[in-house]
């Protein structure tokens, strides 16, 4: 858990950890030089929690990504759950996500859905996945678990994410200026050594309030994708989201040098993404590259198929 001035809601989140049917083995909290009662609340909780609580206080504010990095480094368990300080976990969250990874040995990441609630935990009438424009399909899920495909629309919100600790050397250090949850999930999913196991059920109450870093900006009905979170993560819909892959590609190139077992798949992933990142500015000049990636089926394996190819042709870098 990475925290900063969270005294308004953190108590409810901490109590939801205690109510888990499978309680955590430990809680690691990294505080980003809070100036409110956050540290005091965590220390009071640690004194009575039924599991070890380790609190680390930064001398200065490191920013959200680096604060999560510190917390992740200090974790000692086999599975690392990311947590914000303003949500509430449902009692079955840890057990269900742990089971999802146990049933999918190839998966390195698991992600659940979430109920959208207001600051008083009152339902907003929608869930996170539809709000992000993601539609769960079981036939696609099998490929995601196997790590044989990639879909950038897979929701990777950190408060709903857990990953196997053995991937820490791959995802750390987290790059500055990059959303920690997207980087962790995409790097593991696309490394050729770990897929993603989706849990199509809400396991947390995802609180929406004015002070959070990233929020859904409207009610997010099931048939009405919300642009707010997507826009915050990828700027404009007209801007090619492939730009966001640059740090992932760099990290995967390093992994490619270390891991001989998955060279074929990883090489194909990197070849496709590098080709997309380096498309020429002129649309006609892009055609040979796009046709090649279509002919090799890499657009379908590592992007969103023909729709991505059309966007690569139309939208300018």
């Amino acid at each position: 858990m990475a925290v900063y001035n969270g005294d308004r809601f953190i108590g409810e989140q901490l109590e939801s950890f205690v109510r888990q049917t499978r309680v955590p083995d430990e809680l690691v909290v990294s505080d980003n030089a809070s100036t409110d009662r956050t540290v005091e609340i965590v220390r009071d909780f640690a004194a009575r929690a039924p599991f070890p609580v380790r609190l680390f206080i930064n001398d200065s504010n490191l920013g959200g990504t680096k604060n999560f990095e510190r917390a992740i480094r200090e974790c000692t368990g086999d599975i690392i759950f990311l947590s914000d300080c303003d949500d509430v976990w449902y009692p079955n969250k840890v057990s269900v996500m742990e089971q999802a990874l146990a049933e999918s040995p190839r998966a390195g990441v698991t992600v659940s859905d979430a109920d959208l609630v207001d600051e008083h935990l009152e339902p907003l009438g929608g869930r996170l996945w539809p709000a992000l424009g993601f539609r769960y399909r079981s036939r696609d899920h099998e490929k995601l678990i196997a790590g044989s495909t990639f879909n950038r629309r897979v929701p990777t919100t950190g408060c709903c994410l857990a990953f196997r600790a053995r991937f820490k050397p791959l995802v750390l250090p987290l790059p500055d200026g990059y959303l920690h949850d997207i980087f962790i999930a995409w790097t593991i999913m696309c490394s050729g050594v770990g897929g993603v196991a989706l849990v199509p059920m809400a396991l947390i109450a995802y609180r929406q309030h004015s002070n959070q870093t990233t929020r859904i900006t409207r009610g997010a009905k099931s048939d009405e994708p919300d642009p707010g979170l997507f826009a915050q993560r990828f700027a404009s819909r007209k801007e090619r989201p492939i730009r966001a892959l640059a740090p992932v590609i760099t990290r995967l190139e390093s992994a490619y040098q270390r891991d001989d077992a998955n060279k074929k798949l990883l090489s194909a992933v990197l070849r496709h993404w590098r080709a997309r990142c380096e498309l020429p500015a002129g649309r006609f000049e892009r055609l040979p590259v796009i046709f090649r990636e279509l002919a090799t089926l890499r657009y379908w394996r590592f992007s969103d198929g023909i729709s991505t190819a059309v966007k690569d042709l139309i939208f300018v870098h």
Side-chain angles (χ1 to χ4, degrees), residues 258-277:
R258 295 196 305 264
D259 189 348
D260 295 331
N262 299 282
K263 277 189 175 182
K264 187 175 182 180
L265 176 60
L266 187 52
S267 175
V269 173
L270 296 178
R271 189 177 305 137
H272 174 67
W273 285 357
R274 182 65 70 188
R276 292 188 61 207
C277 278

Side-chain angles (χ1 to χ4, degrees), residues 138-150 195-196 300:
S138 58
R139 65 179 182 274
D140 298 331
H141 190 195
E142 294 304 315
K143 294 180 180 179
L144 287 168
I145 290 175
S148 60
T149 189
F150 169 74
V196 56
W300 282 270

Side-chain angles (χ1 to χ4, degrees), residues 20 22-24 81 89 91-99:
Q20 293 296 301
R22 195 288 196 208
V23 295
F81 287 75
W89 287 11
N92 59 340
K93 175 180 168 68
V94 172
S95 61
V96 170
M97 297 185 77
E98 183 181 43
Q99 184 65 25

Side-chain angles (χ1 to χ4, degrees), residues 22-66:
R22 195 288 196 208
V23 295
D25 294 323
E26 66 174 356
L27 171 62
V28 177
V29 181
S30 180
D31 180 80
N32 224 359
S34 292
T35 57
D36 63 2
R37 296 182 58 252
T38 296
V39 169
E40 177 185 345
I41 294 172
V42 173
R43 283 174 172 161
D44 289 345
F45 175 77
R48 55 184 174 80
F51 45 79
V53 178
R54 295 189 291 136
L55 172 63
F56 299 88
I57 303 173
N58 301 324
D59 295 331
S60 60
N61 193 309
L62 304 178
T65 296
K66 288 302 181 181

Side-chain angles (χ1 to χ4, degrees), residues 176-232:
D176 289 323
Y178 204 80
L179 293 166
H180 65 282
D181 45 11
I182 291 179
F183 184 80
I184 291 170
W186 284 14
T187 302
I188 294 175
M189 280 193 291
C190 308
S191 65
V193 293
V196 56
L198 299 176
V199 179
M201 59 188 296
L203 295 180
I204 76 167
Y206 185 18
R207 198 190 307 255
Q208 305 298 298
H209 59 92
S210 58
N211 294 330
Q212 66 194 126
T213 303
T214 308
R215 72 187 284 255
I216 303 296
T217 56
R218 66 180 186 225
K221 303 298 183 182
S222 59
D223 59 347
E224 183 184 23
D226 173 80
L229 184 56
F230 189 87
Q232 290 181 46

